Amino acid sequence: MTQAPSHVQTLSGQSPPLWRLLQATASAVQATRQGRSLTAQLESVPHELRPGVQALSFQALRQLGRATALRELLAAKTPPPAVDALLCTALALCWNDADAPYPIHTLVNQAVEAARKQRQTQAQSGFINACLRRFMREHDTLVRQTDTDPQSQWNHPRWWVERLQTDHPQHWQQLLTLAQKPAPMTLRVNTRFHAVAAYQQQLVAMGVSAQAVGQQGLQLTKALPVHLLPGFSDGHVSVQDAAAQVAAPLLMQDMDATKSWRILDACAAPGGKTGHLLELYPQAHVLALDVDESRCERIHQNLQRLALSAEVRAADAGQPAQWWDGNPFDAILLDAPCTASGIVRRHPDVRWLRRPTDSGQLAKTQAALLKALWPLLVPGGRLLYCTCSVFKAEGDETVQAFLQRNTDALLHLSPGHLIPGQAPIGLPVEHNPLGEHDGFYYALLEKRQG
């Protein structure tokens, strides 16, 4: 077997057998097809296998559309789920020789070995071997046959491709192409400790190159473990995408940082935006909510690292009667639940987990949250509505419907959907994230006085 790449080396320096990595990767693909998130699935993977399985799973899920189309040509009927997952995993990893993590013959041999050593696939190991050997013999012809299938070409469900074509006729290809690339690692410099340029120089001294993005961001040319970041454990820097860094300064722009503003972070976990708000407005009283108690613990951990304090409560933001004390808020951040279609490059399983109806159902949840939280805002106060989605049903359409129903609401500022690589319209230049940021939607609403 070919020596494993560095990302699958264990702490002892020994490489786990590739067939074990392929078994676990195939299990991740099967779990995704059955509706389980990759993040949750990886937590069940043995620690020594996890780095390699994560890397292979990301690649397999980014190429699953092509792999599924190839499998349909190789097999007259769909094999059992575990067999299909292993076969598609092997095809996803080896169909494009230029991107294959191992030599093709090694992947094929080890995929067959993985089948032989697993109860659910053992009886079908000969079938898997026959399919993969045929694929190697007829590679060019089979790949050409799948080139015209949109799901195969773009490695996203057909409905997803069609929706982007409708919502973003000028940028749909760019969005789909970027989704196939690993996301950059972007830092948010805590300017209570360092100027952005000063922290950038610390990275340069370590041999780490970074480009300034937005107000406080540094986008690294190569990701590195957080424990290697200077001052990370002391809150000097956080990992946060450039588009997500827009939220806190946009909500609070031109507001006096010395005042004790009452701020609600309505869907706060894991706490990145909560921490950013308090870095910029340390005198503010922030109530951070999340419906999941375990996710509230993540907020606590993030704030503890930053040496910041907020009131954190496990509660449903859409049910204020259960948690609101009756005192209105000066500002509300509503990072609403969404399809996460804007962060698919960080979570390649999302494209296969979502269904065509999800966006419409989530839009109802978003509308319900806006309706519930709007009365909690003081006259003249602001509510920043955002989602990490590029689907318009979860952005422009939701906000326009809300404005039509609420005559006391003004659209103070709406840069709309932030498309990676495109300068957003109407966003003050100091907030412009630039670079290869995630897809986001922002609308800043203001409540009329009187």
Side-chain angles (χ1 to χ4, degrees):
M1 187 183 78
T2 301
Q3 179 69 18
S6 60
H7 61 251
V8 298
Q9 296 286 324
T10 64
L11 294 177
S12 66
Q14 297 296 314
S15 302
L18 179 55
W19 62 264
R20 286 191 67 199
L21 297 176
L22 292 174
Q23 282 182 342
T25 301
S27 294
V29 169
Q30 183 179 350
T32 297
R33 284 174 161 175
Q34 294 171 343
R36 180 177 170 86
S37 79
L38 179 59
T39 300
Q41 179 66 19
L42 287 173
E43 290 176 357
S44 65
V45 174
H47 183 74
E48 70 274 12
L49 299 181
R50 198 171 300 168
V53 173
Q54 177 171 313
L56 293 176
S57 296
F58 270 52
Q59 184 166 349
L61 290 166
R62 287 190 178 116
Q63 302 296 334
L64 189 58
R66 176 75 69 168
T68 302
L70 288 167
R71 195 271 299 148
E72 289 171 353
L73 294 176
L74 292 166
K77 62 180 182 179
T78 304
V83 176
D84 192 29
L86 180 55
L87 179 54
C88 285
T89 294
L91 290 167
L93 296 175
C94 72
W95 82 268
N96 185 352
D97 194 21
D99 294 331
Y102 299 85
I104 305 304
H105 66 87
T106 298
L107 282 166
V108 169
N109 290 339
Q110 290 296 297
V112 175
E113 186 71 6
R116 289 174 179 154
K117 290 181 179 291
Q118 186 167 259
R119 180 177 55 80
Q120 300 96 317
T121 55
Q122 194 172 49
Q124 297 283 337
S125 60
F127 165 76
I128 290 175
N129 182 54
C131 287
L132 292 175
R133 300 295 173 187
R134 180 189 164 196
F135 172 72
M136 292 176 70
R137 293 193 305 270
E138 303 175 24
H139 175 278
D140 292 351
T141 300
L142 291 167
V143 169
R144 241 187 339 263
Q145 285 180 258
T146 61
D147 278 342
T148 56
D149 176 7
Q151 181 165 304
S152 172
Q153 181 183 4
W154 297 107
N155 283 291
H156 284 71
R158 291 179 186 86
W159 69 265
W160 189 302
V161 175
E162 291 167 359
R163 188 159 301 174
L164 289 183
Q165 289 173 332
T166 299
D167 286 356
H168 304 285
Q170 303 301 315
H171 305 302
W172 67 273
Q173 291 177 312
Q174 178 182 348
L175 285 165
L176 290 168
T177 300
L178 278 175
Q180 295 301 93
K181 299 178 180 179
M185 183 175 183
T186 304
L187 309 179
R188 183 187 78 236
V189 178
N190 189 340
T191 50
R192 293 189 302 156
F193 295 102
H194 306 277
V196 174
Y199 194 85
Q200 187 176 22
Q201 286 306 307
Q202 289 191 45
L203 294 175
V204 170
M206 297 170 53
V208 178
S209 178
Q211 174 188 358
V213 291
Q215 288 183 308
Q216 295 170 251
L218 287 172
Q219 193 168 96
L220 306 187
T221 54
K222 185 178 180 180
L224 73 162
V226 293
H227 70 268
L228 296 179
L229 295 171
F232 178 82
S233 60
D234 297 319
H236 292 199
V237 67
S238 298
V239 179
Q240 187 180 40
D241 182 73
Q245 290 184 38
V246 171
L250 185 59
L251 173 63
M252 304 299 290
Q253 63 176 329
D254 303 324
M255 294 178 73
D256 187 347
T258 66
K259 290 190 175 182
S260 300
W261 302 107
R262 281 179 52 81
I263 305 172
L264 171 65
D265 190 350
C267 303
K273 297 181 182 69
T274 310
H276 197 187
L277 283 166
L278 286 164
E279 286 176 10
L280 298 175
Y281 291 82
Q283 305 304 317
H285 175 81
V286 176
L287 172 59
L289 300 181
D290 198 89
V291 70
D292 187 332
E293 193 161 349
S294 64
R295 284 168 58 83
C296 284
E297 184 56 33
R298 292 281 309 279
I299 303 174
H300 281 296
Q301 292 169 359
N302 277 315
L303 292 177
Q304 184 177 21
R305 184 181 63 83
L306 295 168
L308 295 169
S309 178
E311 182 183 356
V312 180
R313 297 184 64 178
D316 183 351
Q319 302 292 330
Q322 298 176 6
W323 52 265
W324 186 42
D325 63 6
N327 294 316
F329 295 96
D330 301 294
I332 297 175
L333 172 58
L334 173 55
D335 187 357
C338 69
T339 55
S341 57
I343 57 173
V344 69
R345 65 190 300 186
R346 298 183 189 279
H347 300 278
D349 54 325
V350 165
R351 69 191 80 179
W352 308 116
L353 291 172
R354 295 303 182 200
R355 298 293 177 262
T357 55
D358 287 351
S359 199
Q361 291 172 350
L362 284 161
K364 292 178 181 177
T365 299
Q366 294 153 8
L369 284 167
L370 279 168
K371 181 180 179 181
L373 295 176
W374 189 248
L376 281 55
L377 195 63
V378 298
R382 300 169 178 174
L383 184 152
L384 181 63
Y385 169 82
C386 60
T387 64
C388 55
S389 175
V390 292
F391 295 149
K392 290 199 171 180
E394 302 168 67
D396 284 333
E397 294 175 15
T398 296
V399 169
Q400 291 304 319
F402 176 78
L403 290 169
Q404 290 175 11
R405 290 193 298 267
N406 295 270
T407 57
D408 62 342
L410 295 170
L411 187 57
H412 181 83
L413 176 67
S414 179
H417 288 278
L418 274 58
I419 304 298
Q422 298 294 320
I425 298 171
L427 188 67
V429 67
E430 67 269 19
H431 297 310
N432 197 323
L434 298 177
E436 291 189 21
H437 56 78
D438 292 339
F440 253 82
Y441 176 84
Y442 284 108
L444 184 61
L445 305 170
E446 185 173 322
K447 182 175 281 191
R448 294 179 190 270
Q449 296 274 6

